[in-house]
């Protein structure tokens, strides 16, 4: 058994999941961190700016149901049977303030991220079975069974490990999440954060493992979306936050466990 340092907290992790430092290429590690730091929402190389009219028009014509990036050169077209009903649901961006009880939270997390009884298989695949992305639960109210705080989800023992208490009035955390809102508006009282263990992600496949980790984040978000759909809970994904600040204020290690995505969720109001 080894210990994983997450900010000022130490959480025990299984040895198979923590191969880490001995085999790491220091050059790869340095390249990875430089590249990752260039992808954060706010930094010296990535400043927010207003889109031009031309860019706005292009986005309008190439997003949502109009999104189309098909090749314009092909030698044959084969028509497929059109489905009359596909069970899809788009992102829900309006949530009720109703608390979610612990049993429903448990079902959402266990369905999306939990290991089954036949080994380490989960609802989503992971390159090399490393599972280097850690799901973090944010609770911003005290009305439900789970009090306000930040919790790490343990997929093997089906439990929550609290790493920060009472975040309702945590102005630094809320400001870093609501960077585009002058009123520090949070979309919901509940969110999942996806934290990538950078050392673990490159321990087996080198720099290619970072790509695997980002793919894994997407797979996990889709698994959580499907779990929400099964249980009639709304959700949507967001990268609209200050990466460094959110990670730091979540008591996670800035160098080794950055938050790469937030997925807001909650009960759907009747008028949606």
């Amino acid at each position: 058994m080894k210990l994983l340092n997450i900010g000022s907290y130490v959480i025990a992790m299984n040895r198979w999941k923590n191969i880490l430092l001995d085999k790491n290429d220091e050059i790869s590690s340095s390249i990875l961190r430089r590249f990752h730091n260039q992808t954060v929402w706010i930094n010296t190389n990535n400043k927010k700016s207003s889109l031009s009219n031309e860019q706005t028009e292009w986005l309008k014509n190439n997003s949502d149901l109009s999104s189309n990036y098909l090749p314009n050169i092909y030698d044959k077209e084969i028509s497929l049977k059109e489905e009359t009903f596909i069970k899809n649901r788009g992102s829900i961006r309006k949530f009720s303030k109703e608390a979610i009880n612990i049993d429903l939270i448990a079902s959402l997390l266990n369905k999306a991220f939990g290991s089954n009884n036949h080994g380490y298989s989960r609802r989503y695949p992971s390159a090399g079975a490393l599972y280097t992305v850690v799901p973090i639960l944010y609770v911003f109210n005290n009305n439900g069974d789970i009090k306000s705080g930040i919790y790490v989800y343990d997929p093997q023992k089906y439990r929550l490990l609290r790493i920060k208490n009472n975040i309702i009035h945590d102005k630094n955390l809320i400001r870093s999440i609501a960077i585009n809102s002058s009123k520090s508006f949070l979309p919901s009282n509940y969110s999942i954060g996806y934290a990538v263990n950078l050392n673990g992600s490159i321990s087996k496949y080198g720099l290619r493992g970072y790509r695997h980790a980002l793919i894994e984040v997407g797979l996990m978000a889709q698994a959580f979306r499907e779990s929400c759909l099964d249980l009639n809970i709304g959700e949507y994904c967001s990268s609209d936050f200050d990466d460094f600040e959110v990670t730091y204020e979540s008591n996670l290690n800035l160098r080794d466990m950055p938050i790469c995505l937030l997925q807001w969720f909650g009960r759907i109001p009747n008028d949606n």
Side-chain angles (χ1 to χ4, degrees), residues 2 15-16 18-29 130 198-207:
K2 288 192 177 182
R15 186 179 59 192
W16 64 267
N18 234 358
I19 2 178
L20 300 185
L21 296 176
D22 290 341
K23 295 184 179 179
N24 271 0
D25 182 340
E26 291 295 332
I27 297 177
S28 293
S29 180
L130 293 173
L198 293 183
N199 279 334
S201 72
I202 60 174
S203 61
K204 186 172 182 179
Y205 300 107
L207 284 175

Side-chain angles (χ1 to χ4, degrees), residues 36-218:
H36 178 80
N37 290 347
Q38 291 174 1
T39 70
V40 302
W41 186 248
I42 297 177
N43 62 40
T44 56
N45 299 315
N46 179 23
K47 301 211 170 159
K48 292 183 294 181
S49 59
S50 299
L51 297 175
S52 67
N53 291 336
E54 183 177 345
Q55 289 172 316
T56 302
E57 185 64 24
W58 183 91
L59 288 172
K60 186 168 64 175
N61 295 327
N62 290 276
S63 61
D64 200 27
L65 296 179
S66 302
S67 178
N68 187 352
Y69 300 94
L70 301 178
N72 53 19
I73 298 176
Y74 48 88
D75 65 0
K76 187 175 182 179
E77 176 182 318
I78 301 174
S79 296
L80 304 177
K81 178 184 176 182
E82 183 176 345
E83 293 289 338
T84 56
F85 177 76
I86 300 176
K87 188 182 177 182
N88 288 343
R89 184 179 69 197
S91 297
I92 300 294
R93 294 179 179 270
K94 184 179 179 183
F95 305 99
S96 96
K97 294 183 179 179
E98 182 183 355
I100 301 177
N101 64 47
I102 192 168
D103 290 335
L104 185 51
I105 291 279
S107 292
L108 286 169
L109 296 174
N110 294 338
K111 278 176 174 285
F113 310 128
S115 300
N116 63 23
N117 295 325
H118 305 290
Y120 289 114
S121 295
R122 304 181 193 179
R123 193 167 189 170
Y124 59 94
S126 177
L130 293 173
Y131 295 104
T132 60
V133 182
V134 180
I136 312 290
L137 172 67
Y138 294 81
V139 179
F140 286 95
N141 71 15
N142 277 321
N143 298 331
D145 304 319
I146 303 177
K147 300 306 179 185
S148 173
I150 302 175
Y151 302 82
V152 176
Y153 173 69
D154 180 347
Q156 275 111 35
K157 296 184 178 180
Y158 306 110
R159 59 180 179 166
L160 292 172
L161 308 172
R162 192 172 69 191
I163 59 174
K164 191 169 186 177
N165 185 28
N166 194 13
I167 57 174
I168 298 177
H169 304 297
D170 191 330
K171 293 181 180 178
N172 290 334
L173 175 63
I174 293 173
R175 184 176 62 245
S176 64
I177 289 175
I179 55 174
N180 278 335
S181 172
S182 59
K183 297 181 180 180
S184 295
F185 171 75
L186 293 179
S188 172
N189 287 322
Y190 302 94
S191 184
I192 299 293
Y194 297 94
V196 176
N197 185 317
L198 293 183
N199 279 334
S201 72
I202 60 174
S203 61
K204 186 172 182 179
Y205 300 107
L207 284 175
R208 191 176 185 85
Y210 177 64
R211 181 163 70 180
H212 292 156
L214 296 185
I215 292 171
E216 187 173 327
V217 169

Side-chain angles (χ1 to χ4, degrees), residues 233-245:
I233 294 292
E235 58 70 45
Y236 82 94
C237 293
S238 172
S239 64
D240 193 9
F241 56 88
D242 182 339
D243 303 52
F244 289 150
E245 192 71 13

